[in-house]
Amino acid sequence: MVFAPSYVVVFDADGTVLHDIDTEDGSEVRRINQVLSPPEIFLDDVNAQETDGNRSQDYVIKPNYEIDLKEFEDALEAMDSADTSQERGDAFEEFAGILMEAMPFIRVRERNLRSRTNELDLVVEYTGADDTRIFDKVSSDFLIECKHWSEPVGSDPVGNFIQKMDKLSVDFGIIFARNGITGDEQTDGYGQIRDAFIQSEKVILVIDDEDIERLLGGKSLYHILDEKYYNRRFDRK
């Protein structure tokens, strides 16, 4: 697009001028507005034209990610409006499950699994994909811990999560923590996460409220996890 004091020029992908007005016909203005209006669904992958044309506008579709916005918003509202800590925790686990299963190659196998030795919020399985994903580099089953706490999660709960991973021979986990993890890369919760990677190559990623805001802004969870995995893998700040 080109904007100037007296005209607007719109080009298509091939450089062809679609409209050129000089503050004259109102119908042309309406036509340009129609051309430039956002699509009913958001598509940014190369196979966008192959997507079902009848899909509701309440979906966001991106590579490796497809989510029903109403389901997402309802789960977020349920989490924020819950009256008790138990209800908030349950709603947060449901919310995390919805986010994970928005990736077409991920399914939640268990919720609130009580094994002989552990209590597990979510057990998630990577079912495989045509192209390489970050999950190809770790165990196909992995763990998710959900902490809907008003304070950052401290080193003891993080250490307990690492112990669960040890007992189950799992090398990948995600902690959903509304207010993040204590410390920095050298101390407390984050320090333990870094040490677990250095000492035994266990990858633990943290999703907090800042990441949820990024999701609301249009980022996909897979993109966020891929970014965090890369930063952990190369020990980036």
Side-chain angles (χ1 to χ4, degrees):
M1 292 188 60
V2 178
F3 289 92
S6 61
Y7 64 88
V8 177
V9 181
V10 184
F11 300 89
D12 68 7
D14 298 323
T16 305
V17 177
L18 299 178
H19 296 280
D20 187 349
I21 65 170
D22 189 5
T23 62
E24 44 187 9
D25 189 345
S27 63
E28 275 300 293
V29 175
R30 287 191 294 273
R31 173 61 180 153
I32 290 176
N33 182 64
Q34 181 182 13
V35 170
L36 299 179
S37 294
E40 290 187 351
I41 53 177
F42 295 96
L43 301 168
D44 67 356
D45 64 317
V46 294
N47 297 318
Q49 298 304 318
E50 299 176 10
T51 304
D52 181 3
N54 296 320
R55 196 179 298 277
S56 165
Q57 66 177 0
D58 288 334
Y59 276 81
V60 168
I61 306 169
K62 294 192 172 187
N64 314 313
Y65 178 73
E66 176 179 332
I67 194 164
D68 184 320
L69 289 178
K70 187 177 188 306
E71 186 180 27
F72 174 84
E73 291 167 357
D74 286 349
L76 187 59
E77 181 179 356
M79 184 171 62
D80 289 336
S81 62
D83 294 325
T84 67
S85 59
Q86 180 65 50
E87 290 175 347
R88 284 190 291 273
D90 292 344
F92 197 25
E93 290 173 17
E94 181 68 22
F95 178 75
I98 289 170
L99 293 183
M100 293 303 299
E101 290 190 323
M103 293 178 282
F105 37 76
I106 294 292
R107 73 180 178 117
V108 176
R109 294 202 60 167
E110 297 273 3
R111 286 182 169 87
N112 294 314
L113 174 62
R114 301 294 183 261
S115 70
R116 293 185 180 88
T117 56
N118 295 292
E119 294 184 3
L120 309 173
D121 290 345
L122 297 173
V123 179
V124 177
E125 180 185 20
Y126 170 57
T127 59
D130 294 335
D131 300 326
T132 302
R133 304 285 182 265
I134 60 171
F135 307 111
D136 289 310
K137 306 168 187 176
V138 295
S139 51
S140 59
D141 295 309
F142 56 94
L143 306 182
I144 293 179
E145 189 94 349
C146 299
K147 300 295 186 185
H148 193 296
W149 293 0
S150 58
E151 300 292 333
V153 176
S155 60
D156 287 346
V158 172
N160 290 336
F161 185 60
I162 294 171
Q163 288 178 12
K164 292 178 185 179
M165 295 175 67
D166 283 337
K167 290 178 181 178
L168 297 170
S169 299
V170 171
D171 59 5
F172 185 74
I174 301 172
I175 300 176
F176 281 79
R178 293 297 305 266
N179 287 286
I181 303 293
T182 59
D184 54 32
E185 289 295 291
Q186 305 296 328
T187 63
D188 292 340
Y190 270 116
Q192 289 202 60
I193 289 174
R194 184 172 185 265
D195 289 345
F197 180 75
I198 293 173
Q199 294 168 10
S200 56
E201 295 188 348
K202 284 182 172 57
V203 178
I204 302 170
L205 307 180
V206 179
I207 299 295
D208 58 21
D209 267 1
E210 288 187 8
D211 298 310
I212 293 174
E213 286 297 323
R214 294 174 70 190
L215 293 170
L216 289 168
K219 284 286 186 183
S220 77
L221 181 61
Y222 181 81
H223 176 91
I224 292 173
L225 292 175
D226 180 66
E227 179 183 87
K228 288 176 179 284
Y229 179 90
Y230 182 86
N231 290 342
R232 171 57 55 219
R233 175 72 178 80
F234 293 98
D235 201 23
R236 294 185 62 184
K237 293 183 178 180

